[in-house]
Amino acid sequence: MDKQNETENRSLQRGLSNRHIQLIALGGAIGTGLFLGIGAAAVLAGPAVILGYALAGVIAFFIMRQLGEMVVDEPVSGSFSFFAYKYWGNFPGFASGWNYWILYILVSMAELTAVGIYINFWWPEIPLWASSLFFFITINALNLGSVKLFGETEFWFAIIKVVAIVAMIVFGTYLLISGTGGETATINNLWNDGGFFPKGWFNKTENGYEGLLAAMALIMFSFGGLELIGITAAEAKNPEKTIPKATNQVIYRILIFYVGSLIILFSLSPWKTITTDSSPFITVFDNLNGLYFRFMGNEISGNVLIQNVLNIIVLTAALSVYNSSVYSNSRMLLGLAEQGNAPSFLKKVNAYHVPVNAILVSSFFAALCVIINYLFPEKAFEYLMTLVVSSLIINWLMISITHMKFKNFKMKNRLATVFPTLFYPFSNYLCILFLIGILVLMLVTGMHIQVILIPIWMLVLYIMFRILK
């Protein structure tokens, strides 16, 4: 009996309900890339960037459907690393898992640094390291509790982001329809200033390449994080129902929150007013100039309200990404340990049914990265972050290729799956060709370091694999 209880204590618990999965999936699709990262892509492509987000969203949806079919069939820890290990081979499983882990250690480092900057907006006297350390301890403590606690935290983070976007869309629509958005606010802005494709598809200029294709590499990385749906499968209640529902809803959420909001925002002001270090979302709030709001008996200017609301949104987005990183990294390490591709002590699960050692190890390296950011020049941090781009491409490619091997095995053994992907194998080939095309675009548009890093990084992973084995 004791042995049975010990076994039960060492397994994950299905504590994520349908609403948790839905909002975790939605939160993965909405990050700082939407609020702050659109400016650079908009400068390259103009209004055509709207089409770019729609195209990238379709590719991301296909990849999520491929991952969804696998995790619904076998809802286990380790997600795509488990499937690469089982249906492709030991090294692909090793490489897929450790690549993802490193990716989100680096993302954790970036988000922790960003959190400190956002807190300084209100309290500049607080040192960056102090606020980063506070949220580092808080988020990790939450993750050491039950998985339901993580799900609840992520649920409310996502709610804040969703409410913010809906509010922006509603307010922007009101400004357009009511005519209070100013003389320049008109739907004609989408095609008046040089047409919908003012920079063309792909043109070489004195400053580099411009056009929709040149912006695609920047656009695609906005969807990093959607694969979190697959990571949650091992702890989801009724994964055969919740995972398909969450996956299918990704596509129209992208259309609403990315494409819908961009149509409104690009209509409010000529696209040439956007700069690489600004966001079309700021344009909407700029229309509050001259407006005042009464709060608790005090009059607050529109600009002050804008700055505080935006800071709350980006702080929430950063904390959400870090929270998800701690969760997904610990589950990935657990899966790698169960495969034999990571030390066995990482399999330890505490009384709350969470992989405690995997959380602590991931947190240690995330904290180490913050220290590295302090000790070394900015250039070192910049080169570290280029690995994020390379790791994302590797991750998506391996999911699509692994799914093909998974399907071949199922078809060969005449085994049906509950949640078959759309347009197999055409959608797989389309995703792979699209991602290879992104790599080619990166080579010619000044992101060649990220592309060169991919074979180097895979070689490092292979050396690590051979040493471990």
Side-chain angles (χ1 to χ4, degrees):
M1 186 70 177
D2 290 339
K3 191 172 183 180
Q4 183 181 352
N5 289 337
E6 186 181 351
T7 302
E8 289 175 357
N9 286 336
R10 290 186 178 182
S11 62
L12 298 178
Q13 191 176 50
R14 296 195 178 277
L16 296 175
S17 66
N18 179 56
R19 69 182 178 89
H20 292 140
I21 299 296
Q22 296 296 317
L23 268 295
I24 287 170
L26 185 53
I30 304 171
T32 50
L34 174 60
F35 296 111
L36 299 176
I38 294 172
V43 169
L44 288 175
V49 77
I50 298 168
L51 177 60
Y53 274 95
L55 291 172
V58 170
I59 296 298
F61 173 66
F62 281 145
I63 293 174
M64 290 308 99
R65 279 298 299 256
Q66 293 157 20
L67 178 59
E69 180 175 6
M70 295 188 288
V71 297
V72 170
D73 194 67
E74 299 177 73
V76 295
S77 61
S79 188
F80 40 85
S81 173
F82 168 84
F83 297 108
Y85 173 75
K86 182 174 180 178
Y87 296 102
W88 192 349
N90 205 337
F91 175 65
F94 176 94
S96 178
W98 283 109
N99 172 71
Y100 186 80
W101 183 79
I102 288 290
L103 162 64
Y104 277 96
I105 287 295
L106 292 172
V107 169
S108 296
M109 169 183 63
E111 298 302 334
L112 278 173
T113 305
V115 163
I117 294 169
Y118 300 145
I119 292 297
N120 270 14
F121 173 79
W122 291 306
W123 300 286
E125 68 276 8
I126 298 178
L128 279 174
W129 66 266
S131 48
S132 296
L133 180 63
F134 172 80
F135 285 105
F136 169 81
I137 294 170
T138 304
I139 296 295
N140 280 285
L142 286 170
N143 276 270
L144 286 168
S146 68
V147 69
K148 187 177 180 181
L149 190 57
F150 158 77
E152 205 64 42
T153 305
E154 197 56 32
F155 174 86
W156 288 107
F157 279 154
I159 284 288
I160 292 171
K161 291 188 283 188
V162 170
V163 169
I165 292 178
V166 171
M168 289 180 200
I169 293 174
V170 170
F171 181 66
T173 304
Y174 164 75
L175 291 176
L176 278 174
I177 295 174
S178 66
T180 55
E183 295 179 1
T184 59
T186 168
I187 192 72
N188 296 333
N189 283 328
L190 294 175
W191 54 81
N192 266 357
D193 202 356
F196 187 70
F197 291 89
K199 300 288 187 77
W201 283 87
F202 195 62
N203 298 309
K204 184 167 176 53
T205 67
E206 293 180 4
N207 299 320
Y209 286 91
E210 294 179 342
L212 179 57
L213 291 179
M216 284 307 298
L218 297 174
I219 292 169
M220 196 64 199
F221 301 127
S222 296
F223 297 103
L226 282 173
E227 63 282 334
L228 186 61
I229 300 174
I231 303 287
T232 63
E235 292 165 285
K237 295 176 182 177
N238 303 316
E240 68 282 353
K241 293 181 180 179
T242 55
I243 300 297
K245 191 174 181 181
T247 304
N248 284 333
Q249 289 179 351
V250 165
I251 186 65
Y252 71 75
R253 284 168 176 169
I254 288 170
L255 290 174
I256 292 172
F257 292 117
Y258 278 85
V259 179
S261 61
L262 287 177
I263 289 173
I264 295 297
L265 297 174
F266 272 83
S267 299
L268 287 169
S269 183
W271 67 269
K272 285 188 176 180
T273 61
I274 300 169
T275 61
T276 54
D277 56 356
S278 73
S279 166
F281 284 96
I282 296 172
T283 304
V284 174
F285 288 129
D286 279 344
N287 286 286
L288 289 172
N289 280 335
L291 293 181
Y292 289 87
F293 300 87
R294 187 162 292 279
F295 180 71
M296 296 180 67
N298 298 316
E299 207 171 54
I300 303 173
S301 74
N303 280 334
V304 171
L305 182 66
I306 294 163
Q307 293 165 0
N308 282 278
V309 168
L310 275 177
N311 206 58
I312 290 170
I313 294 168
V314 293
L315 176 61
T316 301
L319 289 173
S320 174
V321 172
Y322 180 57
N323 189 39
S324 297
S325 297
V326 173
Y327 171 81
S328 58
N329 265 351
S330 61
R331 273 54 178 185
M332 186 58 75
L333 277 188
L334 173 64
L336 285 166
E338 290 173 346
Q339 298 165 22
N341 283 322
S344 59
F345 78 92
L346 295 170
K347 290 192 283 186
K348 182 180 179 181
V349 176
N350 68 9
Y352 297 104
H353 299 271
V354 299
V356 57
N357 286 345
I359 290 174
L360 293 175
V361 167
S362 297
S363 301
F364 170 77
F365 280 95
L368 193 64
C369 285
V370 175
I371 294 169
I372 290 171
N373 190 25
Y374 275 99
L375 296 178
F376 291 92
E378 262 185 44
K379 218 59 177 170
F381 175 72
E382 184 182 318
Y383 284 130
L384 270 177
M385 290 312 297
T386 59
L387 190 57
V388 169
V389 178
S390 308
S391 298
L392 274 172
I393 291 285
I394 294 169
N395 188 37
W396 289 327
L397 280 170
M398 291 193 82
I399 288 174
S400 209
I401 295 169
T402 297
H403 177 258
M404 293 180 73
K405 295 184 177 294
F406 165 86
K407 286 291 284 187
N408 287 339
F409 176 85
K410 296 294 180 181
M411 292 168 71
K412 185 179 178 180
N413 291 278
R414 298 182 179 180
L415 299 171
T417 56
V418 178
F419 186 48
T421 191
L422 298 174
F423 312 121
Y424 174 83
F426 169 76
S427 59
N428 293 74
Y429 292 129
L430 177 64
C431 291
I432 293 167
L433 286 173
F434 183 89
L435 291 170
I436 292 172
I438 292 292
L439 290 176
V440 173
L441 288 170
M442 287 166 63
L443 275 173
V444 298
T445 56
M447 299 178 73
H448 54 278
I449 293 175
Q450 289 90 329
V451 180
I452 294 168
L453 268 176
I454 291 177
I456 296 172
W457 174 229
M458 291 304 291
L459 178 61
V460 170
L461 287 172
Y462 184 73
I463 293 170
M464 288 168 57
F465 172 74
R466 295 308 304 173
I467 291 171
L468 180 67
K469 296 300 176 182

